[in-house]
Coordinates of all heavy atoms in Angstrom, one line a residue:
M1 N 0.8 -1.2 0.0 CA 0.0 0.0 0.0 C 0.9 1.2 0.0 O 2.0 1.2 0.4 CB -0.9 0.0 1.2 CG -0.2 0.1 2.5 SD -1.3 0.3 4.0 CE -1.9 1.9 3.7
I2 N 0.3 2.3 -0.5 CA 1.0 3.6 -0.7 C 0.7 4.6 0.5 O -0.5 4.7 0.8 CB 0.7 4.2 -2.0 CG1 1.1 3.3 -3.2 CG2 1.3 5.6 -2.2 CD1 2.6 3.1 -3.3
V3 N 1.7 5.2 1.0 CA 1.5 6.3 2.0 C 2.4 7.4 1.5 O 3.6 7.2 1.2 CB 1.9 5.9 3.4 CG1 1.7 7.1 4.4 CG2 1.0 4.7 3.9
R4 N 1.8 8.6 1.5 CA 2.6 9.8 1.0 C 2.9 10.7 2.3 O 2.0 11.0 3.0 CB 1.9 10.6 0.0 CG 2.0 10.0 -1.4 CD 1.2 10.7 -2.4 NE 1.7 12.0 -2.8 CZ 1.0 13.2 -2.8 NH1 -0.2 13.2 -2.4 NH2 1.6 14.3 -3.2
F5 N 4.1 11.1 2.4 CA 4.5 12.1 3.4 C 4.9 13.4 2.8 O 5.6 13.4 1.8 CB 5.7 11.5 4.2 CG 5.4 10.3 5.0 CD1 5.7 9.0 4.5 CD2 4.7 10.3 6.2 CE1 5.4 7.8 5.1 CE2 4.4 9.1 6.9 CZ 4.8 7.9 6.4
I6 N 4.3 14.5 3.4 CA 4.7 15.8 2.9 C 5.6 16.4 3.9 O 5.2 16.6 5.1 CB 3.5 16.7 2.7 CG1 2.4 15.9 1.9 CG2 3.9 18.0 2.0 CD1 2.7 15.7 0.4
A7 N 6.8 16.7 3.6 CA 7.8 17.3 4.5 C 7.4 18.7 4.8 O 6.6 19.3 4.2 CB 9.2 17.2 4.0
R8 N 8.1 19.3 5.8 CA 7.9 20.7 6.2 C 8.2 21.6 5.1 O 7.5 22.7 5.0 CB 8.8 21.0 7.4 CG 8.5 20.2 8.6 CD 9.2 20.6 9.9 NE 8.8 19.8 11.0 CZ 9.6 18.9 11.6 NH1 10.8 18.8 11.3 NH2 9.1 18.2 12.6
D9 N 9.1 21.3 4.2 CA 9.4 22.2 3.1 C 8.5 21.9 1.9 O 8.7 22.4 0.8 CB 10.9 22.1 2.7 CG 11.2 20.7 2.1 OD1 10.3 19.8 2.0 OD2 12.4 20.5 1.8
G10 N 7.5 21.0 2.0 CA 6.5 20.7 1.0 C 6.9 19.6 0.1 O 6.1 19.2 -0.8
T11 N 8.1 19.0 0.3 CA 8.5 17.9 -0.5 C 7.7 16.6 -0.3 O 7.5 16.3 0.9 CB 10.0 17.5 -0.2 OG1 10.8 18.7 -0.3 CG2 10.5 16.5 -1.2
A12 N 7.1 16.0 -1.3 CA 6.3 14.8 -1.1 C 7.2 13.6 -1.3 O 8.0 13.5 -2.2 CB 5.2 14.8 -2.1
T13 N 7.0 12.6 -0.4 CA 7.7 11.3 -0.5 C 6.7 10.2 -0.6 O 5.9 10.1 0.3 CB 8.7 11.1 0.7 OG1 9.5 12.2 0.8 CG2 9.5 9.8 0.5
T14 N 6.7 9.5 -1.7 CA 5.7 8.4 -1.8 C 6.4 7.1 -1.3 O 7.5 6.8 -1.8 CB 5.2 8.2 -3.2 OG1 4.6 9.5 -3.6 CG2 4.2 7.1 -3.4
T15 N 5.8 6.4 -0.4 CA 6.4 5.2 0.2 C 5.5 4.0 0.0 O 4.3 4.1 -0.1 CB 6.8 5.4 1.7 OG1 5.5 5.5 2.4 CG2 7.6 6.7 1.9
V16 N 6.1 2.8 0.1 CA 5.3 1.6 0.1 C 5.3 1.1 1.6 O 6.4 0.9 2.2 CB 5.9 0.5 -0.8 CG1 5.1 -0.8 -0.7 CG2 5.9 1.0 -2.2
A17 N 4.1 1.0 2.2 CA 4.0 0.6 3.6 C 3.3 -0.8 3.7 O 2.7 -1.2 2.7 CB 3.3 1.6 4.4
T18 N 3.5 -1.4 4.8 CA 2.9 -2.7 5.0 C 1.7 -2.6 5.9 O 1.7 -2.1 7.0 CB 4.0 -3.6 5.8 OG1 5.2 -3.6 5.1 CG2 3.5 -5.0 5.9
P19 N 0.5 -3.1 5.4 CA -0.7 -3.1 6.2 C -0.4 -3.9 7.5 O 0.3 -4.9 7.5 CB -1.7 -3.9 5.3 CG -1.2 -3.7 3.9 CD 0.3 -3.7 4.0
G20 N -0.9 -3.3 8.6 CA -0.7 -3.9 9.9 C 0.3 -3.1 10.7 O 0.3 -3.1 11.9
D21 N 1.2 -2.4 10.0 CA 2.2 -1.5 10.7 C 1.4 -0.3 11.2 O 0.4 0.1 10.6 CB 3.3 -1.1 9.7 CG 4.3 -2.2 9.5 OD1 4.2 -3.2 10.1 OD2 5.3 -1.9 8.7
R22 N 2.0 0.4 12.1 CA 1.5 1.7 12.5 C 2.1 2.7 11.6 O 3.2 2.6 11.1 CB 1.9 2.0 14.0 CG 1.4 1.0 15.0 CD 2.0 1.4 16.4 NE 3.5 1.5 16.3 CZ 4.2 1.9 17.3 NH1 3.7 2.2 18.5 NH2 5.5 1.9 17.2
L23 N 1.3 3.8 11.4 CA 1.8 4.9 10.6 C 3.1 5.4 11.1 O 4.0 5.8 10.3 CB 0.7 6.0 10.5 CG 1.1 7.2 9.7 CD1 1.3 6.9 8.2 CD2 0.0 8.3 9.8
L24 N 3.3 5.5 12.4 CA 4.6 5.9 13.0 C 5.7 5.0 12.5 O 6.8 5.5 12.1 CB 4.5 5.9 14.5 CG 5.8 6.3 15.2 CD1 6.2 7.7 14.9 CD2 5.6 6.1 16.7
D25 N 5.5 3.7 12.5 CA 6.6 2.8 12.0 C 6.9 3.1 10.5 O 8.1 3.1 10.1 CB 6.2 1.4 12.2 CG 5.9 1.1 13.7 OD1 6.6 1.6 14.5 OD2 4.9 0.4 13.9
A26 N 5.9 3.2 9.7 CA 6.1 3.5 8.3 C 6.9 4.8 8.1 O 7.8 4.8 7.2 CB 4.7 3.5 7.6
A27 N 6.5 5.8 8.9 CA 7.2 7.1 8.7 C 8.7 6.9 9.1 O 9.6 7.4 8.4 CB 6.5 8.1 9.7
Q28 N 9.0 6.3 10.2 CA 10.3 6.1 10.6 C 11.2 5.3 9.7 O 12.3 5.5 9.5 CB 10.4 5.6 12.1 CG 9.9 6.6 13.1 CD 9.9 6.2 14.5 OE1 9.9 5.0 14.8 NE2 9.9 7.1 15.4
A29 N 10.5 4.3 9.1 CA 11.2 3.4 8.2 C 11.6 4.2 6.9 O 12.5 3.7 6.2 CB 10.3 2.2 7.8
H30 N 11.0 5.3 6.7 CA 11.3 6.1 5.5 C 11.9 7.4 5.9 O 11.8 8.4 5.2 CB 10.1 6.3 4.6 CG 9.6 5.0 4.0 ND1 10.3 4.4 2.9 CD2 8.7 4.1 4.4 CE1 9.7 3.2 2.7 NE2 8.7 3.0 3.6
N31 N 12.6 7.4 7.1 CA 13.3 8.6 7.5 C 12.5 9.9 7.7 O 13.1 11.0 7.5 CB 14.5 8.8 6.6 CG 15.4 7.6 6.6 OD1 15.7 7.0 7.6 ND2 15.8 7.2 5.4
Q32 N 11.3 9.8 8.0 CA 10.5 11.0 8.3 C 10.8 11.4 9.7 O 10.9 10.6 10.6 CB 9.0 10.7 8.1 CG 8.6 10.3 6.6 CD 9.0 11.4 5.6 OE1 8.6 12.5 5.8 NE2 9.7 11.0 4.6
P33 N 10.9 12.7 9.9 CA 11.3 13.2 11.2 C 10.2 13.2 12.3 O 9.8 14.2 12.8 CB 11.7 14.7 10.9 CG 10.9 15.1 9.8 CD 10.6 13.8 8.9
L34 N 9.7 12.0 12.6 CA 8.7 11.9 13.7 C 9.5 11.1 14.8 O 9.9 10.0 14.6 CB 7.5 11.1 13.2 CG 6.6 11.7 12.2 CD1 5.4 10.8 12.0 CD2 6.1 13.1 12.7
E35 N 9.6 11.8 16.0 CA 10.4 11.2 17.0 C 9.7 10.0 17.7 O 10.3 9.0 17.9 CB 10.7 12.2 18.1 CG 11.9 13.1 17.6 CD 12.1 14.2 18.6 OE1 12.0 14.0 19.8 OE2 12.5 15.3 18.2
G36 N 8.4 10.1 18.0 CA 7.8 9.0 18.6 C 8.4 8.6 19.9 O 8.6 7.5 20.2
T37 N 8.7 9.6 20.7 CA 9.5 9.4 21.9 C 9.0 8.4 22.9 O 9.7 7.6 23.5 CB 9.7 10.8 22.7 OG1 10.1 11.8 21.7 CG2 10.7 10.7 23.8
C38 N 7.7 8.4 23.0 CA 7.1 7.4 24.0 C 6.7 6.1 23.4 O 6.1 5.2 24.0 CB 5.9 8.1 24.7 SG 4.4 8.0 23.7
E39 N 7.1 5.9 22.1 CA 6.8 4.6 21.4 C 5.4 4.2 21.4 O 5.1 3.0 21.6 CB 7.8 3.6 22.0 CG 9.2 3.9 21.6 CD 10.2 3.0 22.2 OE1 9.8 2.1 23.1 OE2 11.4 3.1 21.8
G40 N 4.5 5.1 21.4 CA 3.1 4.7 21.2 C 2.3 4.7 22.5 O 1.2 4.1 22.5
Q41 N 2.9 5.2 23.6 CA 2.2 5.1 24.9 C 1.2 6.3 25.1 O 0.7 6.5 26.2 CB 3.2 5.1 26.0 CG 4.2 3.9 25.9 CD 3.4 2.6 25.8 OE1 2.6 2.3 26.7 NE2 3.7 1.8 24.8
L42 N 1.0 7.1 24.1 CA 0.1 8.3 24.2 C 0.6 9.3 25.3 O -0.2 9.7 26.1 CB -1.3 7.9 24.5 CG -2.2 7.5 23.2 CD1 -3.5 7.1 23.7 CD2 -2.2 8.7 22.2
A43 N 1.9 9.5 25.3 CA 2.5 10.3 26.3 C 3.4 11.4 25.8 O 4.1 12.1 26.6 CB 3.3 9.5 27.3
C44 N 3.5 11.6 24.5 CA 4.5 12.6 24.0 C 4.0 13.5 22.9 O 4.4 14.7 22.8 CB 5.7 11.9 23.5 SG 5.6 11.0 22.0
A45 N 3.2 13.1 22.0 CA 2.7 13.8 20.8 C 3.8 14.2 19.9 O 3.6 15.1 19.0 CB 1.9 15.1 21.3
T46 N 5.0 13.6 20.0 CA 6.0 13.9 19.0 C 5.8 13.1 17.7 O 6.6 13.1 16.8 CB 7.4 13.5 19.5 OG1 7.5 12.1 19.9 CG2 7.7 14.4 20.8
C47 N 4.7 12.3 17.6 CA 4.4 11.6 16.4 C 3.2 12.3 15.7 O 2.6 11.7 14.8 CB 4.0 10.2 16.8 SG 2.5 10.1 17.8
H48 N 3.0 13.6 16.0 CA 1.9 14.3 15.4 C 2.0 14.5 13.9 O 3.1 14.9 13.5 CB 1.8 15.7 16.2 CG 0.9 16.7 15.5 ND1 1.2 18.0 15.6 CD2 -0.3 16.6 14.9 CE1 0.2 18.7 15.0 NE2 -0.7 17.8 14.6
V49 N 1.0 14.2 13.2 CA 0.9 14.4 11.8 C -0.4 15.1 11.4 O -1.4 15.0 12.2 CB 1.0 13.1 10.9 CG1 2.4 12.5 11.0 CG2 -0.1 12.1 11.2
I50 N -0.4 15.8 10.3 CA -1.6 16.5 9.8 C -2.1 15.7 8.6 O -1.4 15.6 7.6 CB -1.4 17.9 9.5 CG1 -0.9 18.7 10.8 CG2 -2.6 18.6 8.9 CD1 -0.5 20.1 10.6
V51 N -3.2 15.1 8.8 CA -3.8 14.2 7.7 C -4.4 15.1 6.6 O -5.1 16.1 6.9 CB -4.8 13.3 8.3 CG1 -5.5 12.4 7.2 CG2 -4.2 12.4 9.4
D52 N -4.2 14.7 5.4 CA -4.8 15.4 4.3 C -6.3 15.4 4.5 O -6.9 14.3 4.8 CB -4.5 14.7 2.9 CG -4.9 15.5 1.7 OD1 -6.2 15.8 1.6 OD2 -4.1 15.8 0.9
P53 N -7.0 16.6 4.4 CA -8.4 16.6 4.7 C -9.2 15.6 3.8 O -10.2 15.1 4.3 CB -8.8 18.1 4.3 CG -7.5 18.8 4.5 CD -6.4 17.9 4.2
A54 N -8.7 15.3 2.6 CA -9.5 14.4 1.8 C -9.4 13.0 2.3 O -10.2 12.1 2.0 CB -8.9 14.4 0.4
D55 N -8.4 12.7 3.2 CA -8.2 11.3 3.7 C -8.8 11.2 5.1 O -8.9 10.0 5.6 CB -6.7 11.0 3.7 CG -6.2 10.8 2.3 OD1 -6.9 10.3 1.5 OD2 -5.0 11.1 2.1
F56 N -9.0 12.3 5.8 CA -9.3 12.2 7.2 C -10.4 11.3 7.6 O -10.4 10.5 8.5 CB -9.6 13.7 7.7 CG -9.6 13.7 9.2 CD1 -8.4 13.6 10.0 CD2 -10.8 14.0 9.9 CE1 -8.4 13.7 11.3 CE2 -10.8 14.1 11.3 CZ -9.6 13.9 12.0
A57 N -11.5 11.4 6.8 CA -12.7 10.6 7.1 C -12.5 9.1 6.9 O -13.3 8.2 7.4 CB -13.9 11.0 6.2
R58 N -11.4 8.7 6.2 CA -11.1 7.3 6.1 C -10.5 6.6 7.3 O -10.4 5.4 7.4 CB -10.2 7.1 4.9 CG -10.8 7.3 3.5 CD -10.0 6.6 2.4 NE -8.8 7.3 2.1 CZ -7.8 6.8 1.5 NH1 -7.8 5.5 1.3 NH2 -6.7 7.5 1.2
L59 N -10.0 7.5 8.2 CA -9.4 7.0 9.4 C -10.4 6.7 10.5 O -11.4 7.4 10.7 CB -8.4 8.0 10.0 CG -7.2 8.4 9.1 CD1 -6.5 9.5 9.7 CD2 -6.3 7.2 8.9
P60 N -10.2 5.6 11.3 CA -11.1 5.4 12.4 C -10.9 6.6 13.4 O -9.8 7.1 13.4 CB -10.5 4.1 13.1 CG -9.6 3.5 12.0 CD -9.2 4.6 11.1
P61 N -12.0 7.0 14.0 CA -11.9 8.2 14.9 C -10.9 8.0 16.0 O -10.6 6.9 16.5 CB -13.3 8.3 15.4 CG -14.1 7.2 15.0 CD -13.3 6.4 14.0
A62 N -10.3 9.1 16.4 CA -9.4 9.1 17.6 C -10.1 8.8 18.9 O -11.2 9.2 19.0 CB -8.7 10.5 17.7
T63 N -9.4 8.1 19.7 CA -9.9 7.9 21.1 C -9.8 9.2 21.9 O -9.1 10.1 21.5 CB -9.1 6.8 21.8 OG1 -7.8 7.3 22.0 CG2 -9.1 5.5 21.1
E64 N -10.5 9.2 23.0 CA -10.5 10.4 23.9 C -9.0 10.6 24.4 O -8.6 11.8 24.4 CB -11.4 10.1 25.1 CG -12.1 11.4 25.5 CD -13.2 11.1 26.5 OE1 -14.2 10.5 26.0 OE2 -13.1 11.4 27.6
D65 N -8.3 9.6 24.6 CA -6.9 9.7 25.1 C -6.0 10.4 24.0 O -5.2 11.2 24.3 CB -6.3 8.4 25.5 CG -6.9 7.9 26.8 OD1 -7.5 8.7 27.5 OD2 -6.7 6.7 27.1
E66 N -6.3 10.0 22.8 CA -5.5 10.6 21.7 C -5.9 12.0 21.5 O -5.0 12.9 21.4 CB -5.8 9.8 20.3 CG -4.9 10.4 19.2 CD -5.2 9.7 17.9 OE1 -5.8 8.6 17.8 OE2 -4.8 10.3 16.8
E67 N -7.2 12.3 21.6 CA -7.6 13.7 21.5 C -7.0 14.6 22.6 O -6.6 15.7 22.4 CB -9.2 13.8 21.7 CG -10.0 13.1 20.6 CD -10.0 14.0 19.3 OE1 -9.3 15.0 19.2 OE2 -10.7 13.5 18.4
D68 N -6.9 14.0 23.8 CA -6.3 14.8 24.9 C -4.9 15.1 24.6 O -4.4 16.2 24.9 CB -6.4 14.0 26.2 CG -7.8 14.0 26.8 OD1 -8.7 14.7 26.3 OD2 -8.1 13.1 27.7
M69 N -4.2 14.1 24.1 CA -2.7 14.3 23.8 C -2.6 15.3 22.6 O -1.7 16.2 22.6 CB -2.1 13.0 23.5 CG -0.6 13.0 23.4 SD 0.2 13.8 24.8 CE -0.3 12.8 26.2
L70 N -3.5 15.3 21.6 CA -3.4 16.2 20.5 C -3.6 17.6 21.0 O -3.1 18.6 20.4 CB -4.5 15.8 19.5 CG -4.1 14.7 18.5 CD1 -5.3 14.3 17.7 CD2 -3.0 15.2 17.6
D71 N -4.4 17.8 22.1 CA -4.6 19.2 22.6 C -3.2 19.8 23.0 O -3.1 21.0 23.1 CB -5.5 19.1 23.8 CG -6.9 18.9 23.4 OD1 -7.3 19.1 22.3 OD2 -7.7 18.5 24.3
L72 N -2.2 18.9 23.3 CA -0.9 19.4 23.7 C 0.1 19.6 22.5 O 1.2 20.1 22.7 CB -0.3 18.5 24.7 CG -1.2 18.2 26.0 CD1 -0.5 17.1 26.9 CD2 -1.4 19.5 26.7
A73 N -0.3 19.1 21.4 CA 0.6 19.1 20.2 C 0.7 20.5 19.6 O -0.3 21.3 19.6 CB 0.1 18.1 19.1
H74 N 1.9 20.8 19.2 CA 2.1 22.1 18.6 C 1.5 22.2 17.2 O 1.5 21.2 16.5 CB 3.6 22.4 18.4 CG 4.3 22.6 19.7 ND1 4.1 23.7 20.5 CD2 5.2 21.8 20.4 CE1 4.8 23.6 21.6 NE2 5.5 22.5 21.6
N75 N 0.9 23.3 16.8 CA 0.3 23.5 15.5 C -0.7 22.5 15.1 O -0.8 22.1 14.0 CB 1.5 23.5 14.4 CG 2.5 24.5 14.7 OD1 2.2 25.7 15.0 ND2 3.8 24.2 14.5
A76 N -1.5 22.0 16.1 CA -2.5 21.0 15.8 C -3.6 21.6 14.9 O -3.9 22.8 15.1 CB -3.1 20.4 17.1
T77 N -4.2 20.9 14.1 CA -5.3 21.3 13.2 C -6.5 20.4 13.4 O -6.4 19.4 14.1 CB -4.9 21.3 11.7 OG1 -4.9 20.0 11.3 CG2 -3.6 22.0 11.5
R78 N -7.5 20.6 12.7 CA -8.7 19.8 12.8 C -8.5 18.4 12.2 O -9.2 17.4 12.5 CB -9.9 20.4 12.1 CG -10.6 21.5 12.9 CD -11.9 22.0 12.3 NE -11.6 22.5 10.9 CZ -12.2 22.1 9.8 NH1 -13.1 21.2 9.9 NH2 -11.9 22.6 8.7
T79 N -7.5 18.2 11.4 CA -7.2 16.9 10.8 C -5.9 16.3 11.4 O -5.3 15.5 10.8 CB -7.1 16.9 9.3 OG1 -6.0 17.8 8.9 CG2 -8.4 17.5 8.7
S80 N -5.5 16.8 12.6 CA -4.3 16.3 13.2 C -4.6 14.9 13.8 O -5.7 14.6 14.3 CB -3.8 17.2 14.4 OG -3.3 18.4 13.8
R81 N -3.6 14.0 13.8 CA -3.7 12.7 14.4 C -2.3 12.4 15.0 O -1.3 13.0 14.6 CB -4.1 11.6 13.4 CG -5.5 11.8 13.0 CD -6.6 11.6 14.1 NE -6.5 10.3 14.7 CZ -7.2 9.2 14.4 NH1 -8.1 9.3 13.5 NH2 -7.1 8.1 15.1
L82 N -2.3 11.3 15.8 CA -1.0 10.8 16.3 C -0.7 9.6 15.5 O -1.5 8.6 15.5 CB -1.1 10.5 17.8 CG -1.3 11.8 18.7 CD1 -1.4 11.4 20.1 CD2 -0.2 12.8 18.5
A83 N 0.5 9.6 14.9 CA 0.9 8.5 14.0 C 1.0 7.1 14.7 O 0.8 6.1 14.0 CB 2.2 8.8 13.2
C84 N 1.2 7.2 16.0 CA 1.4 5.9 16.7 C 0.0 5.2 16.9 O 0.0 4.1 17.3 CB 2.1 6.1 18.0 SG 1.1 7.0 19.2
Q85 N -1.0 6.0 16.7 CA -2.4 5.4 16.9 C -3.1 5.0 15.6 O -4.2 4.6 15.7 CB -3.2 6.5 17.6 CG -2.7 6.9 19.0 CD -2.5 5.7 19.9 OE1 -3.5 5.0 20.2 NE2 -1.3 5.5 20.4
I86 N -2.4 5.1 14.5 CA -3.0 4.8 13.2 C -2.4 3.5 12.7 O -1.2 3.4 12.4 CB -2.8 5.9 12.2 CG1 -3.6 7.2 12.7 CG2 -3.3 5.5 10.8 CD1 -3.4 8.4 11.9
R87 N -3.2 2.5 12.7 CA -2.9 1.2 12.2 C -3.2 1.2 10.7 O -4.3 1.4 10.3 CB -3.7 0.1 12.9 CG -3.3 -1.3 12.7 CD -1.9 -1.7 13.1 NE -1.7 -1.6 14.6 CZ -0.6 -1.9 15.2 NH1 0.5 -2.3 14.5 NH2 -0.5 -1.8 16.5
L88 N -2.2 0.9 9.8 CA -2.4 0.9 8.4 C -3.2 -0.3 7.9 O -2.9 -1.4 8.4 CB -1.0 1.0 7.7 CG -0.3 2.3 8.0 CD1 1.1 2.2 7.4 CD2 -1.0 3.5 7.4
T89 N -4.1 -0.1 7.0 CA -4.9 -1.1 6.4 C -5.0 -0.8 4.9 O -4.8 0.3 4.5 CB -6.3 -1.2 7.0 OG1 -7.0 0.0 6.6 CG2 -6.3 -1.4 8.5
E90 N -5.3 -1.8 4.1 CA -5.5 -1.6 2.7 C -6.5 -0.5 2.4 O -6.4 0.2 1.4 CB -5.9 -2.9 2.0 CG -4.8 -3.9 1.9 CD -3.6 -3.5 1.0 OE1 -3.7 -2.5 0.3 OE2 -2.6 -4.3 0.9
A91 N -7.5 -0.4 3.3 CA -8.5 0.7 3.1 C -7.9 2.1 3.2 O -8.5 3.0 2.7 CB -9.6 0.5 4.2
L92 N -6.7 2.2 3.7 CA -6.0 3.5 3.8 C -5.0 3.7 2.7 O -4.2 4.7 2.8 CB -5.4 3.6 5.2 CG -6.3 3.6 6.4 CD1 -5.5 3.6 7.7 CD2 -7.2 4.8 6.3
D93 N -5.0 2.9 1.7 CA -4.1 3.0 0.6 C -4.2 4.4 0.0 O -5.3 5.0 -0.2 CB -4.5 2.0 -0.5 CG -3.4 1.9 -1.6 OD1 -2.2 2.1 -1.3 OD2 -3.8 1.8 -2.8
G94 N -3.0 5.0 -0.2 CA -2.9 6.4 -0.7 C -3.0 7.5 0.3 O -3.0 8.7 0.0
L95 N -3.0 7.1 1.6 CA -3.1 8.1 2.7 C -1.9 9.1 2.5 O -0.8 8.8 2.3 CB -2.9 7.3 4.0 CG -2.9 8.1 5.3 CD1 -4.3 8.7 5.5 CD2 -2.5 7.3 6.5
T96 N -2.3 10.4 2.7 CA -1.3 11.5 2.6 C -1.3 12.2 3.9 O -2.4 12.6 4.4 CB -1.6 12.4 1.5 OG1 -1.6 11.7 0.2 CG2 -0.6 13.6 1.4
V97 N -0.2 12.4 4.5 CA 0.0 13.1 5.8 C 1.1 14.1 5.7 O 2.1 13.8 5.0 CB 0.2 12.2 7.0 CG1 -1.0 11.2 7.2 CG2 1.5 11.4 7.0
R98 N 1.0 15.2 6.4 CA 2.0 16.2 6.4 C 2.7 16.2 7.8 O 2.1 16.0 8.8 CB 1.3 17.6 6.2 CG 2.2 18.7 5.8 CD 1.4 19.7 5.0 NE 0.2 20.2 5.6 CZ 0.2 21.2 6.6 NH1 1.4 21.7 7.0 NH2 -0.9 21.6 7.1
I99 N 4.0 16.5 7.8 CA 4.8 16.6 9.0 C 4.6 18.1 9.5 O 4.9 19.0 8.7 CB 6.3 16.3 8.7 CG1 6.5 15.0 8.0 CG2 7.0 16.4 10.1 CD1 6.0 13.8 8.7
P100 N 4.1 18.3 10.7 CA 3.8 19.7 11.1 C 5.1 20.4 11.4 O 6.1 19.8 11.7 CB 3.0 19.5 12.3 CG 3.1 18.1 12.8 CD 3.7 17.3 11.7
N101 N 5.0 21.7 11.4 CA 6.1 22.6 11.7 C 6.4 22.5 13.2 O 5.5 22.3 14.0 CB 5.9 24.0 11.4 CG 5.9 24.2 9.9 OD1 6.8 23.6 9.2 ND2 5.0 25.0 9.3
Ligands
FES201 S1 4.7 8.1 20.0 FE1 4.2 9.3 21.8 S2 2.1 9.8 21.5 FE2 2.6 8.8 19.7

């Protein structure tokens, strides 16, 4: 499946990801600058990404815990998510996310 990352400078990188992986893992496997300091424990928000508005509705909704952590993320938008909480599936093929400033 394809996942596209848009860097802070606007450069798009198209990657091949494995369904079942977390979006955070796919990002790190392709050298995207997402720290993921807490390794998915919902304690850091350094895995914050901004989902393309066209793709946002395809994602399962965020849990309350994820929403609470997103409130602490810098530059969060209405389509912000935490990459450690997104499990990739074929249904998400073509997902595009932006690395926030
Ligand atoms: S890796 Fe810490 S909240 Fe996602």
Side-chain angles (χ1 to χ4, degrees):
M1 63 175 291
I2 298 294
V3 178
R4 280 174 75 231
F5 295 98
I6 313 290
R8 296 186 178 115
D9 67 1
T11 312
T13 306
T14 301
T15 66
V16 178
T18 308
D21 283 359
R22 298 174 307 172
L23 180 60
L24 177 62
D25 302 319
Q28 291 180 337
H30 295 280
N31 301 316
Q32 298 299 310
L34 291 183
E35 281 176 35
T37 310
C38 78
E39 294 176 350
Q41 301 304 304
L42 276 178
C44 73
T46 61
C47 63
H48 170 211
V49 293
I50 297 172
V51 178
D52 188 301
D55 289 329
F56 191 70
R58 288 202 281 155
L59 297 172
T63 62
E64 217 167 292
D65 287 344
E66 183 182 345
E67 296 282 6
D68 286 348
M69 193 48 62
L70 278 169
D71 286 342
L72 304 176
H74 291 293
N75 301 319
T77 74
R78 279 187 304 124
T79 64
S80 287
R81 291 296 302 264
L82 295 178
C84 69
Q85 300 301 306
I86 296 175
R87 188 66 65 179
L88 295 172
T89 64
E90 288 292 355
L92 294 175
D93 189 35
L95 180 67
T96 300
V97 301
R98 197 154 56 79
I99 310 297
N101 289 321

